[in-house]
Amino acid sequence: MASAALPRPVTTPPRASAAAALADLVDAAERVGDAAQVLDGVADLLVARAGQLSIPQVGAFDEVMTVLAAGAGTKARGRLARRLGPLPRPPRRLARLLACDPEPSVAVPVLARCAALPDTVLMQVARSRGPVHLAAIARRETVAARVADILADRGDEAVMGTLLRNAGARLSLAALSLLSERMEDRDGLARGLAARPGLRPAQRDALVRPRPSERQGPPRRAVEAVALRVRLGLEESDIRLWLAEGRIAEAILGLAHLAGCSPERAQAAYRAANPAALALVVRAAGLRLATLGALLRARAGAALTPEHAGAAVQAYRAMTVAEAREGVAADASAWIRDRQPARP
């Protein structure tokens, strides 16, 4: 005679359990009112159940955690970003929110490790954030060509070096040309190019040749255009128009003429890391503060930080036109150093 079947223990399916736990945490968020505390709890649940969640359940987490993260502090978002970055299937809207955060401690873990971020988000961040954000993107396991193009155009020396050494970064010939033009570390450039597959020897040789700025002066067309404007009466509006049109060579030549310095001095100030050097030449030219801002924004490389912008404004306002002209006629670096405000 067959024995009676033993009753099976009732178990809650993992998906239902996760949904119930998430609902409990949402209820707790309303009672406790501490977004950071509840966010940590939801993150614990997400990480623990990451491999068992369905797409709709991940979407539920996404909706809840995005709202909580927006109301949490920087430290809580940073903790969340460090846990979210390695997940193979993170909540997408939350990942984008964290990746676009202006605080590097929040954005970097996601930018560097989250494989689910679309290229459109990476491109947005690469166009709008500073060198720390760009460096995180440059060291991703894979970097699409259209993202790498922006990094090559806007990154500082460290970002460019990281990008070139990253075997997972797809670098177009346009990106490689930008790196060739902009990188100061020519030995590093040569080593990086040698390690990249697909380049013909002739292409490598062309890319490691001295940059155009090292071989020749401004383009003849730019010289002729500025000479014509000088004869007609060069004005500040001409500088602004050239900058708006991306005609940097003309803008620098015109700036040099108005400031009474050599084009080499104006070009060096434009490329200098210290924005006070450019502020000196702009002030000597008698141009407005807005034109200094336009010149700084037009520079290739890392995005202008608030600190750099503040230093440029301070340097501009700290001198008269006559003092600035004295500066461009002297050793500019020593002149600027002697006039830096004393540290407390």
Side-chain angles (χ1 to χ4, degrees), residues 63 79 84 122 146 186 236 270 273 305 333 336:
E63 184 174 352
R79 290 194 300 270
L84 188 74
L122 296 173
R146 57 181 181 166
R186 308 308 285 178
E236 183 172 11
Y270 176 72
T305 65
S333 59
I336 292 170

Side-chain angles (χ1 to χ4, degrees), residues 280 284 321-331 335 339:
L280 171 69
V321 173
E323 290 172 336
R325 284 190 166 265
E326 174 192 344
V328 298
D331 180 351
W335 193 91
R339 284 158 177 79

Side-chain angles (χ1 to χ4, degrees), residues 114-322:
C114 182
L117 283 178
D119 288 344
T120 52
V121 173
L122 296 173
M123 292 166 67
Q124 175 187 344
V125 174
R127 289 191 182 107
S128 60
R129 298 300 183 196
V132 179
H133 289 70
L134 270 61
I137 299 174
R139 63 176 183 265
R140 287 173 64 84
E141 185 174 353
T142 59
V143 182
R146 57 181 181 166
V147 178
D149 285 349
I150 301 172
L151 297 177
D153 182 52
R154 295 195 67 245
D156 61 11
E157 189 76 9
V159 170
M160 290 188 290
T162 299
L163 183 66
L164 184 60
R165 292 189 297 270
N166 185 351
R170 301 193 60 177
L171 301 182
S172 65
L173 282 177
L176 291 171
S177 298
L178 282 169
L179 295 177
S180 174
E181 292 172 9
R182 299 186 56 232
M183 283 187 69
E184 300 290 342
D185 182 5
R186 308 308 285 178
D187 292 337
L189 173 67
R191 289 193 300 270
L193 291 173
R196 297 206 69 86
L199 279 178
R200 298 191 298 272
Q203 291 175 321
R204 289 195 184 93
D205 292 343
L207 289 168
V208 297
R209 286 175 186 167
R211 292 166 291 187
S213 60
E214 296 171 343
R215 298 196 305 265
Q216 59 191 25
R220 181 177 177 180
R221 185 180 65 179
V223 174
E224 292 175 348
V226 175
L228 175 61
R229 288 306 307 161
V230 168
R231 290 195 296 271
L232 297 174
L234 181 65
E235 298 179 349
E236 183 172 11
S237 59
D238 297 313
I239 308 292
R240 296 296 295 272
L241 177 61
W242 285 327
L243 289 172
E245 294 177 346
R247 299 167 64 184
I248 306 302
E250 286 91 336
I252 298 302
L253 286 170
L255 174 65
H257 175 79
L258 293 175
C261 68
S262 69
E264 292 77 16
R265 169 63 64 83
Q267 178 69 23
Y270 176 72
R271 295 178 58 186
N274 184 355
L278 184 57
L280 171 69
V281 179
V282 171
R283 190 62 160 158
L287 305 182
R288 294 175 299 166
L289 190 57
T291 301
L292 171 60
L295 282 159
L296 288 169
R297 288 191 297 272
R299 296 196 304 183
L304 183 65
T305 65
E307 293 76 12
H308 275 74
V313 171
Q314 182 180 9
Y316 177 93
R317 290 177 172 168
M319 65 187 102
T320 65
V321 173

